[in-house]
Amino acid sequence: MTDHAPTALRTHLCGQLRPEHIGQTVTVCGWVGRRREHGEHLAFIDLRDHTGLLQCVVDGAHDLRSEYVLRITGTVRPRPEGTVNAALATGEVEVGDCTVEILSEAEPPPFPLDDRAADVDETVRLRYRYVDIRRDAMQRNLRTRAQVNGAIRRAMDAQGFVEVETPMLIASTPEGARDFVVPSRHRPGTFYALPQSPQLFKQLCMVGGIDRYYQIARCFRDEDLRADRQFEFTQLDAEMSFASQDDVLQAITTAVSAASEAVTGRRVVDVPRITWHEAMGRFGSDKPDVRFGMELIELTDVFAETGFNAFKAPSIKGIRLEGGSEATSRSRLDDLTDQAKRWGAKGLVWMRVEQGDDGATTLSSPIAKFLSEAELAGIVERTGAQVGDLLFLVADEWLATCHVLGLLRLELGRPPVDEGGLQFLWVVDFPLFESIDAATGRPVPAHHPFTMPHDEDLHLLDDSDAEALLQVRSQAYDLVLNGWELGSGSVRIHRPDVQQRIFGLLGISDEEAQAKFGFLLDAFRYGAPPHAGFAFGIDRLVALLVGEENIREVIAFPKTQSGTDPLTKAPTAIDDDQLDELGLRLLPPPAS
Ligand code: ASP
């Protein structure tokens, strides 16, 4: 590998020096980490750059403070007997006979740059992000991210994908979120939108014969922020012509595998596939975390004849917390019940699995008295309940039952982010519509409106019955990693007749369709190849690869959870001249 260390100012990097360099005169540059006085005449300086720490023995008379930037020339020598530091890569050597040049003085750092920084308030870290980035953890995260980007680019190039840059100033793209808009100075009263994704442009690239497109694309969505979401985020965005779902899954798996290999040394092979219906039924989630079991157990038929009103429901399922009874107090059970109600459950039934006087397994629960012997025995048999376990049951519509138990499963069983390895999963056959909007009576698309329904389900589109529409499966798929949705994609509609039917169902009139994405529909009239694509979030992928819960830890300059940047103070007001130029007037701030 090329040695990138030497520059005009230095010969080596701090973390590079080893016993083999003993006797050499070297020049290193970096920041002052720890400083220890040794009598009046000597000081030990830990000089730090991105490769690590190096002990330099300097004249104690120098006034060298924390985070000063130094250039030190000296001779590499072994550390004296008994002072070798095995925990440090450079721990066998030090640099002596030092000439010190102060390149920059520094004010005391706003927080300590060692392990204690983890406890510093995040706003303070972001306010001084340039100092925060000097820390090992941030260096590792940002460098890993660069490796991931590089590996993905190489993998996509090797598969014949062409990197095409699509514009940042566009007309609004219908991806379901709110747009960030940019006022136009040249045409006052009009606005660009920042892309929620390059969706329509990549489809235009397919019409343009690019065949395989990719881009590491910045996307902007004005949504509520969470630990795994920022206003702007980065995706590997891809599209393929004359390709099926399988082709896309294969190409994306190759890219993700290359990223994983670059970071962990392990390739990702044979990512399992599961249908949306199975994912919901078994895990209660369309992004199942399969690092742990605790699957949902089907119980509906056990209560087919029940006299217990709360269990006269279309779907009853349960989960079993193995050995969980003793550790779960009554007040915790009450909390979980409240929590389940906040998730939309009508109620949550819990049962402690105990040993009766006669040695038989019994279920102790406030509702046990309402259930028949056969029903109780059915629960024990179906769940495989053992003495000491705790069971939870929910009865509701199928989707609601799955949803609540899925969240409960995560609450009770989810391992920490950095445990359980990397469990990738493809979820396929998503429903085309996720719900029916109560106000408009129209179906709400689960992905975007350009997603192709399953060929076998096309006939259901003619059905005006909402229930039938909710049964329509789409050729849409998600990539899931450890319970995080990494990304989604679909086979696109390239047939104008199908597209028109979907728009009709969604209540998008011809005029509206023409106004919003007429350019895409026009393009399709000039020869559109069948095409399919995908996009996955690089912030999320990198976070999981390095074991971070919060994507802000793998973004150089993120916004806080409230959407502000403590460093630049964005978003900021602009002055009246700028507003005038843009033809804008501000309303008074809303009364709070
Ligand atoms: N544009 C979609 C998204 O950003 C991905 C895709 O369908 O390719 O989620």
Side-chain angles (χ1 to χ4, degrees), residues 177-478:
R178 221 175 273 123
D179 281 326
F180 277 101
V181 294
V182 180
S184 156
R185 178 174 63 86
H186 284 287
R187 306 177 116 249
T190 62
F191 297 82
Y192 301 98
L194 299 179
Q196 292 185 33
S197 90
Q199 184 63 35
L200 300 187
F201 288 97
K202 65 176 172 175
Q203 295 193 242
L204 294 178
C205 285
M206 297 302 101
V207 182
I210 293 291
D211 196 72
R212 290 182 175 210
Y213 142 96
Y214 86 97
Q215 183 178 195
I216 293 189
R218 195 62 71 82
C219 306
F220 303 84
R221 295 184 192 174
D222 189 357
E223 292 179 302
D224 293 341
L225 301 182
R226 297 191 310 235
D228 63 351
R229 208 183 255 174
Q230 285 269 301
F231 287 150
E232 52 182 305
F233 58 96
T234 310
Q235 287 192 328
L236 180 271
D237 191 49
E239 197 75 16
M240 297 170 81
S241 286
F242 308 109
S244 67
Q245 170 173 306
D246 277 353
D247 294 317
V248 176
L249 267 46
Q250 185 56 49
I252 297 295
T253 303
T254 303
V256 178
S257 175
S260 164
E261 189 177 25
V263 179
T264 67
R266 280 188 303 279
R267 295 193 61 79
V268 178
V269 276
D270 289 338
V271 175
R273 285 185 205 182
I274 177 173
T275 65
W276 174 87
H277 197 270
E278 188 181 346
M280 290 308 299
R282 286 175 53 195
F283 302 99
S285 169
D286 59 4
K287 42 179 191 293
D289 189 340
V290 293
R291 288 176 300 160
F292 68 108
M294 220 198 261
E295 292 190 19
L296 278 48
I297 303 158
E298 181 55 55
L299 296 168
T300 315
D301 58 313
V302 173
F303 300 98
E305 314 278 316
T306 196
F308 181 42
N309 277 340
F311 278 7
K312 290 179 179 161
S315 168
I316 305 173
K317 284 174 181 281
I319 53 174
R320 172 161 85 105
L321 183 60
E322 273 179 60
S325 186
E326 201 175 68
T328 312
S329 65
R330 180 59 202 253
S331 72
R332 167 85 169 135
L333 289 172
D334 291 342
D335 288 348
L336 289 171
T337 307
D338 290 344
Q339 179 66 270
K341 286 183 183 156
R342 281 196 294 276
W343 289 329
K346 298 198 178 85
L348 178 70
V349 168
W350 52 262
M351 299 180 158
R352 295 184 187 278
V353 187
E354 293 173 354
Q355 190 142 39
D357 296 337
D358 57 355
T361 307
T362 61
L363 296 176
S364 151
S365 165
I367 66 118
K369 57 179 176 287
F370 303 117
L371 303 181
S372 69
E373 285 303 317
E375 286 169 341
L376 291 169
I379 299 173
V380 172
E381 195 250 329
R382 191 64 67 78
T383 59
Q386 303 288 325
V387 173
D389 291 348
L390 188 58
L391 306 178
F392 294 93
L393 274 63
V394 170
D396 209 324
E397 299 290 331
W398 178 78
L399 198 54
T401 302
C402 296
H403 172 70
V404 171
L405 283 175
L407 291 171
L408 189 64
R409 171 180 176 268
L410 291 178
E411 169 77 27
L412 298 174
R414 189 172 209 174
V417 68
D418 52 353
E419 284 176 19
L422 296 174
Q423 304 279 346
F424 287 93
L425 189 69
W426 284 109
V427 180
V428 300
D429 292 352
F430 268 74
L432 189 64
F433 304 113
E434 67 180 16
S435 57
I436 304 290
D437 186 317
T440 62
R442 301 270 183 201
V444 180
H447 199 44
H448 44 59
F450 313 109
T451 300
M452 186 72 124
H454 253 279
D455 290 340
E456 309 96 87
D457 294 353
L458 273 175
H459 67 279
L460 294 171
L461 294 179
D462 298 331
D463 210 315
S464 51
D465 172 22
E467 278 312 307
L469 288 179
L470 291 180
Q471 301 306 316
V472 179
R473 290 164 305 155
S474 69
Q475 299 188 52
Y477 30 85
D478 273 8

Side-chain angles (χ1 to χ4, degrees), residues 7 13 21 28 51 55 60 99 111 117 156 188 196 215 256 265 320 336 374 422 427 451 461 471 478-479 517 552 586:
T7 62
L13 288 160
H21 296 101
V28 285
T51 59
Q55 177 165 294
T99 314
F111 47 85
M156 296 307 279
Q196 292 185 33
Q215 183 178 195
V256 178
R320 172 161 85 105
L336 289 171
L422 296 174
V427 180
T451 300
L461 294 179
Q471 301 306 316
D478 273 8
L479 180 60
F517 18 79
R552 297 192 289 274
L586 296 184

Side-chain angles (χ1 to χ4, degrees), residues 13-16 18 48-53 89-90 136 139 143:
L13 288 160
C14 295
Q16 269 183 335
R18 300 285 182 279
R48 185 192 68 237
D49 66 18
H50 68 274
T51 59
L53 296 176
T90 60
D136 286 349
Q139 287 282 327
R143 285 167 199 281

Side-chain angles (χ1 to χ4, degrees), residues 123-176:
T123 316
V124 177
R125 285 179 52 209
L126 294 182
R127 160 79 182 81
Y128 300 97
R129 190 60 150 182
Y130 41 83
V131 172
D132 192 40
I133 290 176
R134 286 183 206 156
R135 295 189 305 114
D136 286 349
M138 282 305 299
Q139 287 282 327
R140 177 201 61 173
N141 290 357
L142 295 182
R143 285 167 199 281
T144 301
R145 186 180 178 120
Q147 279 177 327
V148 165
N149 280 345
I152 288 174
R153 280 214 163 85
R154 285 189 295 278
M156 296 307 279
D157 290 344
Q159 297 183 91
F161 285 81
V162 180
E163 187 170 5
V164 179
E165 291 160 85
T166 53
M168 286 285 128
L169 296 176
I170 65 169
S172 157
T173 315
E175 292 264 349

Side-chain angles (χ1 to χ4, degrees), residues 4 61 208 527:
H4 294 295

